[in-house]
């Protein structure tokens, strides 16, 4: 029956990465949310990891931006491709639980529903990123003591105070890892005269970037394109400049947390101050981020276990719990 209907899927359809957790099997898809289009025909020639380095005569397209679908037709085909990789049977129609940003509009939600339906879902449930991350971290499952979760994705940062399995206060900001990468690319272009791609920007962020004080004598040599000659060129990028590029996004995250704290009741704010702030999402791995947030906000800050997987894991846990027989 599972083969025919398809196992339950928990889907984190992110700006940078799509993760699919298959009930009973774990995370079976962890691929870039990108496709490669043939420039002459418009046909999709590669998905996910294979599209990160597109074949000759093609361009890459990201159908998800700031956590929402902006290219519906491409997103449908990409999601259908990923789903078919994991549920196997050509006629299976699995139940899907999908993460969405806290600030999603009704129109954006409808587009996501249509993409899931076209990906052969027989039932679709949506859940906010932060609540899913809380479940994945073992928080917000009935505990009356509130905690705060910050889910930093590729395109959005969602902040929420969670208590008794529900979001009691939250905000969503369209800022995250992608914004940091674009800022790094702009700084390298302006200061070093070098055009670098997204992967190089991401490498700079991970290797020498961070939210704390930058190491002043550290740098990383990278290759790019000299815009004047069109040829490959090299430069050693200073960690100071990478940190400066990242800092505006870090400040946006800090301001979002402050806004949620200010909107909480005194009881919830007291709980959060005692229990702390939990960082989830791929952006939580940014070097120095817990220490920076803890210093500026005056509350304990820690990363959840497996932060880049926490949303997909939480979706699956919540889905399984909601469908379990009641005693």
């Amino acid at each position: 029956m599972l083969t025919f209907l398809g196992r339950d899927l928990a889907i984190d359809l992110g700006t940078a990465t799509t993760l699919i957790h298959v009930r009973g099997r774990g995370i079976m898809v962890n691929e870039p949310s990108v496709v490669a289009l043939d420039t002459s025909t418009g046909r999709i020639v590669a998905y996910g990891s294979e599209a990160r380095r597109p074949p000759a005569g093609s361009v890459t397209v990201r159908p998800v931006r700031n956590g929402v679908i902006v290219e519906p037709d491409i997103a449908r085909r990409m999601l259908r491709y990923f789903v078919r990789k994991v549920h196997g049977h050509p006629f299976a129609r699995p139940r899907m639980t999908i993460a969405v940003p806290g600030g999603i509009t009704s129109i954006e939600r409808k587009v996501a529903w249509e993409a899931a339906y076209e990906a052969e879902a027989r039932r679709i449930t949506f859940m906010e990123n932060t609540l899913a991350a809380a479940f994945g971290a073992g928080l917000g499952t009935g505990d009356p003591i509130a905690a705060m979760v910050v889910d930093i994705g590729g395109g959005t940062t969602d902040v929420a105070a969670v208590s008794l399995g529900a979001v009691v206060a939250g905000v969503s900001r369209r800022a995250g890892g992608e914004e940091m990468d674009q800022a790094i690319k702009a700084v390298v272009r302006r200061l070093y005269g070098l055009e670098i791609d997204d992967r190089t920007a991401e490498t700079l962020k991970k290797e020498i970037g961070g939210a704390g004080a930058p190491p002043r004598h550290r740098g990383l040599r990278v290759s790019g394109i000299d815009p004047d000659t069109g040829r490959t060129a090299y430069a050693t990028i200073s960690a100071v400049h990478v940190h400066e590029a990242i800092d505006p996004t870090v400040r946006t995250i800090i301001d979002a947390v402050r806004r949620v704290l200010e909107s909480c009741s005194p009881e919830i704010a007291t709980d959060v101050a005692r229990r702390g702030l939990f960082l989830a999402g791929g952006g939580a791995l940014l070097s120095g981020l817990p220490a920076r947030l803890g210093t500026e906000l005056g509350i304990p800050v820690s990363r959840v276990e497996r932060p880049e997987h926490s949303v997909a894991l939480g979706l699956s846990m919540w889905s399984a719990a909601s469908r379990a027989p009641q005693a």
Side-chain angles (χ1 to χ4, degrees), residues 27-170:
I27 291 177
M28 304 295 289
V29 170
N30 183 357
E31 297 208 34
S33 301
V34 61
V35 303
L37 293 180
D38 187 288
T39 53
S40 60
T41 66
R43 185 173 62 88
I44 296 179
V45 294
Y47 296 87
S49 299
E50 294 180 0
R52 287 291 295 264
R53 295 189 180 277
S58 65
V59 294
T60 57
V61 176
R62 292 184 177 273
V64 181
R65 287 287 180 186
N66 300 121
V68 297
I69 293 171
V70 295
E71 297 282 355
D73 183 58
I74 294 174
R76 291 184 194 120
R77 287 186 280 170
M78 181 184 75
L79 184 57
R80 185 165 59 239
Y81 172 82
F82 289 147
V83 168
R84 285 181 175 176
K85 285 185 69 173
V86 298
H87 73 48
H89 198 284
F91 301 111
R93 295 186 68 86
R95 294 179 296 198
M96 300 183 189
T97 306
I98 302 173
V100 293
I104 193 171
T105 67
S106 58
I107 294 174
E108 290 165 343
R109 185 183 292 264
K110 181 181 178 182
V111 171
W113 187 93
E114 290 173 347
Y117 181 79
E118 291 292 330
E120 299 158 352
R122 78 175 185 274
R123 193 165 110 188
I124 303 160
T125 305
F126 293 114
M127 188 177 193
E128 286 191 25
N129 288 330
T130 45
L131 192 55
F135 272 85
L139 307 169
T141 56
D143 192 336
I145 301 176
M148 184 169 287
V149 178
V150 180
D151 177 52
I152 308 170
T156 61
T157 293
D158 292 289
V159 184
V162 177
S163 178
L164 293 172
V167 173
V168 296

Side-chain angles (χ1 to χ4, degrees), residues 4 34 42 85 90 113 128 136 143 150 152 204 206 212 215 220 232 234 236-237 240 243-244 260 262 276 289 291 303:
F4 180 72
V34 61
K85 285 185 69 173
W113 187 93
E128 286 191 25
D143 192 336
V150 180
I152 308 170
L204 286 166
K206 290 179 178 179
L220 186 67
T232 300
Y234 297 85
T236 299
I237 312 302
V240 173
H243 280 244
E244 289 173 352
V260 174
E262 290 168 357
L289 187 58
R303 295 185 181 97

